[in-house]
Amino acid sequence: MDNTPKQNNRPTPGSGSGDFLLQGSILAAAGILVRFIGLLYKVPMTRILGREGIGYYNTAYEIYNIGLILSSYSLPLAMSKLIAARRVNGRYQDVRRVFVCGMLLSATAGGLMTIILLLGGDWITANIFESPSSALPLKVLAPTIFVFSIMGVIRGYFQGHGNMIPTSLSQIIEQLVNAIVSVAASYTFLIWFSSRTSPRSYGAAGGTLGTLTGALASLLFLAILMLRHHHRHAGMIAQPQETPVESWRTVFTALIFTLTPIILSQFVYQLSGTVDNSMFGQIMHGKGFDEAQRASLLGVYGGEYRLLTNVPVAIASSLGASMIPSIVRSRTQGNHEEVQYKIRLTVKFNMLIAIPCAIGMGVLAGPIMQLVFRDSSQLAADLMRIGAFAVVFFSLSTVTNSVLQGIDLMRKSVTHSAISLAIHAVLVYIMLQHLNLGAYGLVIGNVTFALVVCVLNWHSIGKALSYHQEIRTTFILPLLAALIMGAATRAAYSVLHILTASNSISLLVSVPLAMAVYAALIILLKAVTAEELPDMPFGMRILRLCRKFGLMPS
């Protein structure tokens, strides 16, 4: 990587080249709100179900995620990529055919995977995960895959048009309904079935029922938007296009060839969590831990640590989703410099957020766990403290995976994830079986998995595009600012805690203080330039404010 800023490949300021980042930020804001809502309802749900019940819930969710990825999770990305490539050339009838083929494929794949999990849920949970009590929540969750399949096609259609708002609003609706039903059903089911052998399994099933109802509400919203959109643009679709209309076979083949590498990439990339749960269940079972003990430990790891660290990673996922159609358009138009600029700006914006989040979670690990989950155990704090920097590596690996998909190197993404997964499995096995690290081994493996993917992805991107990410203002200065922020935050928290003896008050004051300190340091250290700000969300407002106080040149 080159340490010298490269401003020569920047498009003309105000040209609109940063619109993709604004759209991505809309999706990211929705993603953060969705994760925040998720935190709000997971907290009471965790208290209702306990660590054991959350362990069953998370195991069912890991299995569901694999089924979702294999069937339909990647449809929005594939659809957005194919639609963006056709829209840029005015091929609107081809766009319609992509949508129809995507809908047929999603209904078939999603329906098949739903049936597999409904019929095979008992065997999978008992034999692979050593968690038979996770079967019931898994079966309740299974139909969500079919619903998500249909929903994913509609989201991908709008994303291919460069519009992230329908996806953002549908995600918020989905999570709000999910939150209400999950908490209510968890509590109700736990009472109704308290006399059963495993009442917490029924409570976990209440939580997964919330996921299903949330997806149904989101699909209804998207269907209404889609009907309105079709009615509004019916005339444009009916107009003859200049190029011959693609045959159904051609469109379907293009969809399969685009979708397959993305599915494989996402499957291998997300498989690490499932491997962790399976290995943990098998190895800890061999060491004498019963199902409730194993579920409790997984509840801390998956229901607390991973839940929190996934919140900032949602920004990377959203920016990556918005970047793919944007990169496709620029490459289709032969604008190589704009492709490089979009990659550089996305990575930099992502690191400006991910790095301070990781440092903040690390220095305030114990207080955060105590506030959010009422968990003052050493285990919970240590897991967060050790694994906080996974936020940075997962954010980077997510964005670079999107870059590889956007430049038609999806196979590289699959290969890199597979290599990292193999290394990850060996490391986790050693840490669980021979070093007896328990849940600590899972966290260490979580960090190293994302790190290896980052390194391999960067190598391939640099080789394919002759691309070198600027290091000083992307990584070094944000890290320096975050370290200073971390020290100031920890000191502020300690003083406030001595004065107030309240963890909540100390956090609620020290966290906004940390954000203000970090923002000031980023400007003072010149980590962001006046040329970059106009293409960042709310960048012009920030730029005018900085110029008003003489912090940036006019």
Side-chain angles (χ1 to χ4, degrees), residues 78-79 81-102 157 161 236-252 254-255:
M79 292 287 294
K81 184 175 181 180
L82 290 174
I83 287 173
R86 284 155 179 77
R87 279 190 67 248
V88 75
N89 295 319
R91 295 158 55 190
Y92 297 109
Q93 293 186 40
D94 291 343
V95 168
R96 180 179 177 276
R97 292 201 167 192
V98 169
F99 176 77
V100 173
C101 285
Y157 179 85
H161 284 73
M236 182 182 296
I237 296 173
Q239 292 178 358
Q241 60 185 44
E242 296 180 3
T243 57
V245 179
E246 292 177 296
S247 67
W248 291 103
R249 182 175 180 178
T250 301
V251 174
F252 192 78
L255 184 59

Side-chain angles (χ1 to χ4, degrees), residues 46-82:
T46 300
R47 293 172 186 172
I48 292 168
L49 298 177
R51 289 181 176 180
E52 180 187 345
I54 285 295
Y56 299 144
Y57 175 89
N58 285 333
T59 298
Y61 225 93
E62 289 291 349
I63 301 168
Y64 157 80
N65 274 336
I66 294 302
L68 187 63
I69 289 166
L70 286 174
S71 60
S72 57
Y73 182 81
S74 303
L75 274 168
L77 289 178
M79 292 287 294
S80 68
K81 184 175 181 180
L82 290 174

Side-chain angles (χ1 to χ4, degrees), residues 343-351 396 399 458 469 474:
I343 296 170
R344 184 176 70 82
L345 190 65
T346 304
V347 171
K348 182 170 184 175
F349 183 69
N350 204 22
M351 290 300 97
L396 266 178
V399 168
W458 276 123
Q469 181 71 33
T474 302

Side-chain angles (χ1 to χ4, degrees), residues 378-399:
Q378 191 65 39
L379 174 65
D382 285 346
L383 293 187
M384 179 59 74
R385 197 171 290 116
I386 294 169
F389 235 73
V391 169
V392 175
F393 299 138
F394 270 103
S395 296
L396 266 178
S397 59
T398 299
V399 168

Side-chain angles (χ1 to χ4, degrees), residues 75 79 97-109 146 149-155 157 219 226 255:
L75 274 168
M79 292 287 294
R97 292 201 167 192
V98 169
F99 176 77
V100 173
C101 285
M103 195 63 75
L104 291 172
L105 181 63
S106 68
T108 303
F146 179 77
S149 299
I150 306 301
M151 186 166 56
V153 174
I154 302 176
R155 284 176 173 173
Y157 179 85
L219 176 58
M226 192 68 205
L255 184 59

Side-chain angles (χ1 to χ4, degrees), residues 248-315:
W248 291 103
R249 182 175 180 178
T250 301
V251 174
F252 192 78
T253 302
L255 184 59
I256 291 293
F257 275 93
T258 303
L259 190 61
T260 302
I262 298 178
I263 287 176
L264 290 174
S265 172
Q266 291 290 338
F267 171 68
V268 178
Y269 187 66
Q270 297 291 338
L271 193 59
S272 63
T274 306
V275 169
D276 287 347
N277 275 30
S278 178
M279 290 177 64
F280 190 83
Q282 298 284 349
I283 293 173
M284 301 308 281
H285 173 70
K287 291 181 176 291
F289 285 73
D290 62 30
E291 185 182 12
Q293 290 174 316
R294 299 193 302 269
S296 295
L297 290 172
L298 285 174
V300 179
Y301 170 69
E304 296 181 13
Y305 161 73
R306 286 189 67 184
L307 178 64
L308 281 178
T309 54
N310 280 339
V311 173
V313 176
I315 297 174

